[in-house]
Amino acid sequence: MRSAEIIIVGGGPAGSAAARSLKAAGADVLVLDKERFPRHKLCAGWITPQAVSDLQLEIGAYPHGFLSFKRLHWHLRGLGVPVPCVQHSIRRFEFDAWLLERSGAEVVQHAVKDIRTDGEYYWIDEAFRCRYLIGAAGTPCPVRRALFDQLSPRTRALQTATLELEFPYDWRDPDCHLWFFEHGLPGYSWYVPKASGWLNVGVGAMASRLKQRGENIREHWRHFASHLERRFRIRMPSDPTGYSYYVRGALDGARIGNAFLTGDSAGLATRDLCEGIGPAIQSGQRAADAILSGSAYTLGDITRASLGGGLISRAMDWAFTRGAGPSIPMPAPHRVV
Ligand SMILES: Cc1cc2nc3c(=O)[nH]c(=O)nc-3n(C[C@H](O)[C@H](O)[C@H](O)COP(=O)(O)OP(=O)(O)OC[C@H]3O[C@@H](n4cnc5c(N)ncnc54)[C@H](O)[C@@H]3O)c2cc1C
């Protein structure tokens, strides 16, 4: 049996952010992840200046591909608007492994299945024991499943469905493109170039709204793929793969005793652009702070709006998540453009 004061289940952005803060304070921390890093992670890999700042990331010192966009092209009903901005892209394959290694925490490859409590301890698969437990394993997080699901079940109307592909591609257009509501998609599709000749393209939508419409995300992928072929002469090298995660809903109950939920396990992605990396990082850091200082674990002021919470933000929140109850006021926004 392996014992540590704090165990983090999941070594993505939420887990590595928590690990880094805890390790820097000298805490006894262990990260368990079912994958060996570097591992593949479905994600467009767009990161905001806020995320770069929260990570204290010196762009010049980052050893992998890092691309900054000067423009974001918004497309709606055939109309394209280039909007000046500063946003970035990375490859999650490289980024997550680098962040986890930078945290300095010990990482053990282990797929967590069962968690039980015994007095002040959490037991994991009868093989690991800790006093503090951080759930950072994304949508299928076993910490959530074992300890939180009954108290705060997921809201189906906030669940996304996505399909994407990342592949080497000699792109000519270095800007990011987003197409909203094409063919009635309750979401958007994207073209995100990466440094060193990589490209990420995908479609994302609210799963329950697709279901209401009797549609499948794969139909939207086919429309999108033929659009990319016409516009950029891109031929998809293979079929896309999918992943589902939850955008921001009510956040009561992200802590029970000394167990915490962070990132996608807590459902923190923004409601207008489904941005999850930044909120994952912030929540991981806050879980670490709560453990280190004994302070409350609060997530309410982590932004739920990538676009600043103004009219466009609210319209998109409404268009994506209607049926999930009224959209909630949006405190502490940050701006993408
Ligand atoms: C197609 C797609 C595109 C996206 N694009 C963007 C984007 O451009 N920008 C953005 O900000 N957000 C984007 N997101 C959202 C973003 O990827 C997530 O919100 C973010 O990765 C959440 O981080 P996390 O650390 O909570 O979880 P994850 O990054 O999912 O990390 C969870 C970790 O837990 C591990 N794990 C899972 N189960 C277990 C287990 N049982 N035992 C041990 N380990 C386990 C996994 O191996 C993984 O390493 C996108 C998501 C998708 C699906």
Side-chain angles (χ1 to χ4, degrees):
M1 187 274 291
R2 172 70 202 278
S3 179
E5 181 72 357
I6 306 153
I7 290 184
I8 302 171
V9 182
S16 61
R20 185 167 191 245
S21 300
L22 291 164
K23 198 67 196 161
D28 172 26
V29 56
L30 176 68
V31 178
L32 303 178
D33 199 294
K34 67 182 173 62
E35 304 287 345
R36 179 194 290 273
F37 283 69
R39 54 97 174 92
H40 181 60
K41 164 71 182 103
L42 277 182
C43 181
W46 148 59
I47 55 170
T48 62
Q50 180 68 52
V52 169
S53 151
D54 290 338
L55 287 171
Q56 298 176 309
L57 181 68
E58 282 179 46
I59 295 172
Y62 180 62
H64 302 291
F66 193 100
L67 185 71
S68 296
F69 311 120
K70 294 197 176 59
R71 270 176 307 275
L72 234 163
H73 294 260
W74 296 74
H75 302 270
L76 182 65
R77 295 183 189 278
L79 213 74
V81 184
V83 182
C85 69
V86 180
Q87 298 292 318
H88 316 287
S89 74
I90 45 76
R91 291 190 64 215
R92 291 290 299 270
F93 183 76
E94 301 166 343
F95 189 65
D96 288 17
W98 182 78
L99 288 177
L100 191 55
E101 191 179 349
R102 185 182 74 153
S103 77
E106 185 188 348
V107 182
V108 171
Q109 188 179 5
H110 178 87
V112 173
K113 291 183 184 62
D114 296 316
I115 296 168
R116 67 175 177 88
T117 48
D118 175 16
E120 60 176 325
Y121 292 109
Y122 297 97
W123 281 85
I124 300 172
D125 295 332
E126 304 303 321
F128 302 90
R129 191 185 75 170
C130 59
R131 288 206 317 127
Y132 293 90
L133 180 63
I134 298 183
T139 306
C141 185
V143 177
R144 173 168 196 113
R145 205 177 51 234
L147 305 175
F148 290 80
D149 262 356
Q150 261 194 326
L151 180 79
S152 41
R154 302 273 204 191
T155 305
R156 292 281 161 225
L158 298 175
Q159 184 176 15
T160 65
T162 64
L163 281 176
E164 71 150 43
L165 262 185
E166 185 160 296
F167 52 95
Y169 181 74
D170 185 17
W171 44 261
R172 302 292 149 150
D173 183 342
D175 294 341
C176 176
H177 292 256
L178 305 175
W179 291 267
F180 291 90
F181 313 126
E182 293 276 308
H183 297 278
L185 177 78
Y188 67 93
S189 38
W190 63 86
Y191 162 104
V192 180
K194 312 279 174 109
S196 319
W198 285 82
L199 180 67
N200 187 296
V201 294
V203 290
M206 303 313 291
S208 64
R209 305 234 16 249
L210 283 172
K211 200 169 164 199
Q212 278 162 17
R213 295 167 60 101
E215 290 176 0
N216 185 305
I217 189 86
R218 288 196 181 266
E219 293 159 33
H220 287 280
W221 172 266
R222 281 191 284 275
H223 284 302
F224 182 51
S226 58
H227 173 74
L228 289 179
E229 191 168 346
R230 283 195 308 276
R231 182 178 175 127
F232 295 105
R233 301 196 186 286
I234 296 172
R235 286 217 162 213
M236 297 300 160
S238 59
D239 284 336
T241 30
Y243 184 80
S244 173
Y245 62 113
Y246 288 78
V247 298
R248 174 82 165 262
L251 288 179
D252 347 319
R255 174 179 186 170
I256 298 176
N258 287 332
F260 301 77
L261 291 182
T262 59
D264 278 1
S265 75
L268 289 182
T270 60
R271 286 174 69 133
D272 51 1
L273 287 186
C274 310
E275 168 210 347
I277 299 172
I281 292 162
Q282 290 187 349
S283 60
Q285 291 170 338
R286 288 179 187 207
D289 283 351
I291 293 171
L292 292 169
S293 68
S295 60
Y297 180 53
T298 51
L299 301 175
D301 61 328
I302 291 181
T303 190
R304 73 189 63 206
S306 299
L307 296 171
L311 199 62
I312 298 178
S313 228
R314 281 164 187 269
M316 276 164 45
D317 173 350
W318 179 80
F320 292 168
T321 64
R322 81 185 111 125
S327 70
I328 321 159
M330 299 174 176
H334 67 249
R335 286 204 166 272
V336 163
V337 290

